[in-house]
Amino acid sequence: MGLPLVLGLAACSSDGGTASAGGDGASSAKPKGKIGVILPDTKSSARWETADRRYLEEAFKAAGLPYDIQNAQGDKAQFQTIADQMLTSGVTVLMIVNLDSGTGKAVLDKAKQQGVATIDYDRLTLGGSAKYYVSFDNVAVGKLQGEGLQKCLTADGKKDARIAYLNGSPTDNNATLFKQGYDGVLSQVSGYTKVADQSVPDWDNQQAGTIFEQMYTQQGGKIDGVLAANDGLGNAAIAVLKKNGVNGKVPVTGQDATVQGLQNILNGDQCMTVYKAVQKEAEAAAELAVSLANGKEGETTGTVHDPEGNRDVPSVLLVPEAITKENVKTVVDDGFVTKAELCTTEYADKCAKAGIS
């Protein structure tokens, strides 16, 4: 998607968190607004800092708009403090990735009261008041995970399988949608039995390891497949499987196409991940934010229903893609991860076999 351009220069502060439009004042057109973005953490996924921040900054700089991007680091009180600071500083557009719908709603409602346009980015705030929502089709993400696990089990010759669910955070609406997708696939397969089903608070990978170890022990090691909601949770399960000498024998899913997840796939320890082209998501959100900052309405592709707020939120939803060993190259070709990051010495030969050159 192309971004509307506003004349002016953009400069990034030394910490990379803010930038302002400048120029000589006479020949440069002044931007009409300032954009604030609150990212959730670095614990749930590496993507927030390695991908989202980078792509959003690039888009805002290209548009010549002042911006402020901060990360709440999983702290709900800090999330609200950042929001208050941004509103005080004069942002005219606020984009958030909520930590939970309660905190997100409080921030969105305060922004709305002050006449600030709002965007839910990646996660829908249930009961909230965001003007727009930008994300991927999260039920489709879950379907890809369920179908991926089924394909891996079938490839292993397993028609009957005992499956463990390692779900995302119970406070993240996306995790609910992911589960809706993969449970909708796996629950329809005769011969599959769900033997464990637990959510991981705050997507915490360390807790995920403890939870999965308890699952594994309770089932006496009789788990044939693991539906892990993202790569971090998947890696936590893989660590337990390694300890028990069965990594690579028990298919594990993931999501986010992280370097770690892709390396686990190349290694044969993870059967698939879901690639969400974050650059496209960030650019779509940035395009909406830039339009709003310039006093214009944004373009959307549909609506998403918020059951708690009983409203349809104008949305831009993008299409996710399943990644297996056969098409890991896609993620590198897109520039989402680099060959240098992925193909370290340990993985050089495996990268070559996967066609990554």
Side-chain angles (χ1 to χ4, degrees):
M1 296 182 179
L3 289 170
L5 296 179
V6 179
L7 293 176
L9 300 175
C12 187
S13 67
S14 59
D15 65 3
T18 60
S20 58
D24 60 14
S27 60
S28 297
K30 292 184 179 180
K32 296 179 181 177
K34 177 182 178 182
I35 300 169
V37 180
I38 310 177
L39 299 175
D41 55 43
T42 51
K43 185 167 60 176
S44 65
S45 177
R47 61 166 281 195
W48 303 117
E49 289 297 323
T50 62
D52 297 84
R53 177 187 286 271
R54 172 164 56 107
Y55 294 131
L56 289 168
E57 285 182 342
E58 288 173 358
F60 297 147
K61 286 179 182 178
L65 284 172
Y67 65 89
D68 183 2
I69 302 176
Q70 296 190 45
N71 193 309
Q73 295 297 350
D75 187 323
K76 295 175 187 176
Q78 181 65 9
F79 191 99
Q80 292 181 306
T81 297
I82 291 171
D84 287 342
Q85 291 170 344
M86 287 183 174
L87 293 173
T88 301
S89 76
V91 299
T92 56
V93 181
L94 181 64
M95 183 190 307
I96 71 166
V97 186
N98 71 57
L99 289 172
D100 65 5
S101 286
T103 307
K105 174 176 166 49
V107 165
L108 292 171
D109 287 351
K110 183 179 287 188
K112 184 178 181 180
Q113 288 168 4
Q114 296 186 25
V116 173
T118 53
I119 300 171
D120 266 334
Y121 181 58
D122 198 72
R123 300 172 182 170
L124 181 67
T125 301
L126 298 179
S129 54
K131 187 176 181 69
Y132 295 114
Y133 171 50
V134 180
S135 190
F136 285 81
D137 183 333
N138 293 308
V139 175
V141 169
K143 286 180 179 177
L144 290 178
Q145 291 175 312
E147 291 165 356
L149 184 59
Q150 184 181 5
K151 287 176 184 175
C152 292
L153 288 166
T154 300
D156 289 342
K158 294 181 179 177
K159 293 183 179 179
D160 297 324
R162 295 166 59 84
I163 297 171
Y165 285 4
L166 206 53
N167 310 305
S169 174
T171 60
D172 181 354
N173 185 58
N174 282 3
T176 301
L177 298 175
F178 301 148
K179 185 177 181 183
Q180 180 183 329
Y182 55 71
D183 195 46
V185 172
L186 298 175
S187 64
Q188 299 303 310
V189 183
S190 61
Y192 284 8
T193 305
K194 183 166 54 176
V195 296
D197 181 356
Q198 196 163 336
S199 296
V200 179
D202 301 323
W203 294 91
D204 187 289
N205 297 337
Q206 188 172 351
Q207 287 192 63
T210 301
I211 289 169
F212 184 71
E213 188 148 32
Q214 291 170 347
M215 288 179 176
Y216 193 82
T217 300
Q218 289 166 358
Q219 298 303 319
K222 294 180 180 179
I223 292 177
D224 299 305
V226 182
L227 196 301
N230 76 358
D231 290 345
L233 305 188
N235 190 65
I238 288 167
V240 175
L241 297 173
K242 280 182 179 177
K243 191 162 67 172
N244 288 277
V246 291
N247 56 301
K249 299 177 183 178
V250 178
V252 179
T253 66
Q255 178 188 176
D256 288 337
T258 62
V259 170
Q260 183 180 65
L262 295 172
Q263 288 177 338
N264 282 337
I265 288 174
L266 291 172
N267 220 30
D269 292 331
Q270 184 170 322
C271 83
M272 64 83 68
T273 187
V274 178
Y275 172 44
K276 299 183 296 188
V278 173
Q279 183 172 5
K280 293 179 182 177
E281 183 184 20
E283 287 176 349
E287 187 167 6
L288 285 176
V290 169
S291 292
L292 291 171
N294 286 301
K296 301 175 182 177
E297 294 296 311
E299 293 185 11
T300 57
T301 58
T303 61
V304 168
H305 187 68
D306 171 7
E308 288 193 16
N310 192 28
R311 70 187 187 108
D312 293 321
V313 187
S315 304
V316 177
L317 297 180
L318 298 104
V319 180
E321 181 179 0
I323 298 294
T324 64
K325 193 177 290 186
E326 285 67 36
N327 64 339
V328 166
K329 185 175 182 289
T330 299
V331 187
V332 179
D333 289 345
D334 265 13
F336 185 69
V337 302
T338 66
K339 180 185 175 184
E341 290 172 318
L342 181 63
C343 305
T344 56
T345 303
E346 182 183 351
Y347 295 93
D349 289 345
K350 291 167 184 175
C351 278
K353 289 179 181 176
I356 302 168
S357 56

